[in-house]
Amino acid sequence: MPSFTICTFLSLTNGFKLYDQNLALTNGLPLIQNPDGSVIKTTEMLALNIVNSYTSNATNRGPGQAKAVVFFVLVAIISLVQLRATRKREVQQ
């Protein structure tokens, strides 16, 4: 069970932090153009969206930084919940 706990924790956190593969394979493309002119990148993951919003406007980096902080808190909470759930099932020797 300890190895299952560690593997699940690493898989979960790395799944959220998927950036390089998303950038190399699709870069968030293809796009869906809405009638109002807004664009939705259909394959853009959260980490790539944070980087794109942070680097798209060099004078206003606040939204990208706020997304990064919320993303960190989200991954930390989900990871702690997962660790607590799997550690209950471990047998102490």
Side-chain angles (χ1 to χ4, degrees):
M1 194 62 184
S3 62
F4 180 76
T5 301
I6 292 170
C7 289
T8 307
F9 172 75
L10 292 175
S11 298
L12 180 69
T13 56
N14 289 334
F16 277 113
K17 297 183 289 186
L18 184 67
Y19 169 74
D20 55 344
Q21 293 173 352
N22 190 230
L23 180 67
L25 293 174
T26 66
N27 197 18
L29 300 176
L31 303 172
I32 294 177
Q33 186 79 28
N34 290 331
D36 64 353
S38 62
V39 174
I40 299 174
K41 292 185 175 182
T42 56
T43 60
E44 185 177 56
M45 302 290 280
L46 185 58
L48 183 60
N49 179 278
I50 290 170
V51 171
N52 286 342
S53 65
Y54 188 78
T55 58
S56 65
N57 189 358
T59 59
N60 187 12
R61 294 186 173 173
Q65 195 68 27
K67 287 180 186 179
V69 169
V70 170
F71 180 60
F72 170 75
V73 170
L74 176 73
V75 170
I77 289 172
I78 291 173
S79 299
L80 289 174
V81 168
Q82 182 269 327
L83 279 174
R84 181 172 290 161
T86 55
R87 288 238 170 123
K88 286 181 182 178
R89 296 183 180 182
E90 290 182 9
V91 177
Q92 298 296 327
Q93 294 180 354

